[in-house]
Amino acid sequence: VERNVFDFKYIKPFDRAFIDNPGPMVLFATPGMLHGGLSMEVFKKWAPSEANLVIMPGYCVAGTLGHKVLANGGKPQVIEVPASEGGGKLHVRCKIK
C-alpha cells in the first residue's frame, strides 16, 4: 500500500479557534448529551443561529442539556445553562435533528 488510508484530505483535528470561523463546518464532539466539554462549548456558540444544524446522534439522559433540546421537538426555545457551565439563558434557534 502506497497511501495511508487514514490520511484524510479534508478532515483534521478540531481547534477551538475554529468555533468563530465563518462558513460551513462539521464537528463530531463528545459528550453527545451536551452536559459539558467541547460539545457544550460549541453548542452555546452555534445554537443561537438559525443557519446551524445540530444532530443529536443518540439517547440523552433526563436532566442534561441534550435532553432539554430534544424534548422540545427541535423547536426554537430558551434553555437555562447549568451554573457549572457558566449559567444564563441560551437561545436555541438552530435546527435540531
Side-chain angles (χ1 to χ4, degrees), residues 26-96:
V26 174
L27 169 67
F28 294 98
T30 60
M33 292 187 224
L34 303 174
H35 65 275
L38 181 62
S39 63
M40 179 181 273
E41 181 181 343
V42 173
F43 184 75
K44 286 168 40 177
K45 289 287 247 176
W46 293 357
S49 173
E50 295 172 351
N52 294 322
L53 166 68
V54 173
I55 298 174
M56 304 294 291
Y59 174 77
C60 292
V61 174
T64 63
L65 185 60
H67 185 265
K68 291 176 187 175
V69 168
L70 289 174
N72 191 37
K75 298 178 188 127
Q77 62 183 308
V78 177
I79 295 176
E80 289 289 332
V81 176
S84 62
E85 293 298 329
K89 295 184 185 301
L90 176 62
H91 293 265
V92 179
R93 296 183 186 99
C94 64
K95 295 177 257 336
I96 306 290

Side-chain angles (χ1 to χ4, degrees), residues 1-8:
V1 176
E2 294 181 23
R3 178 173 108 47
N4 180 349
V5 296
F6 296 105
D7 185 18
F8 301 107

